[in-house]
Amino acid sequence: MVIAGVIGLCVVLAVLAFVLPRLSRHPQNGAQRTLGLGSRAGSKAPGPLGRLFSKPFSSGSRAVGRSGSAGRRARGRLPF
């Protein structure tokens, strides 16, 4: 369920970053902050379970950042 949510968020954020590059920063930061909160909560589990529980949230946060920057980068490469 988390994976599907992150994929959907990445798609929406990439489109938003392509259409409105400046206005996409706030939603991107909010999504990364939320995923960081999940990662911190998951890492409180003892031992290897902490790494296992926090990994989907930290990789999701990285994916959200990459999709936002990729949308803005693609918009910057347009010829007009």
Side-chain angles (χ1 to χ4, degrees):
M1 190 69 175
V2 173
I3 296 170
V6 169
I7 290 172
L9 185 62
C10 285
V11 169
V12 168
L13 196 60
V15 169
L16 183 66
F18 186 77
V19 175
L20 301 168
R22 282 186 161 183
L23 296 178
S24 69
R25 294 229 182 240
H26 188 69
Q28 177 184 350
N29 289 340
Q32 285 184 316
R33 190 175 302 126
T34 304
L35 290 168
L37 183 68
S39 176
R40 282 191 301 276
S43 69
K44 302 226 188 235
L49 283 177
R51 287 188 297 275
L52 184 69
F53 289 159
S54 70
K55 186 173 181 175
F57 294 104
S58 62
S59 60
S61 177
R62 246 189 343 257
V64 165
R66 285 181 184 173
S67 68
S69 67
R72 284 187 291 275
R73 198 173 338 123
R75 172 68 182 255
R77 291 181 181 166
L78 285 178
F80 47 89

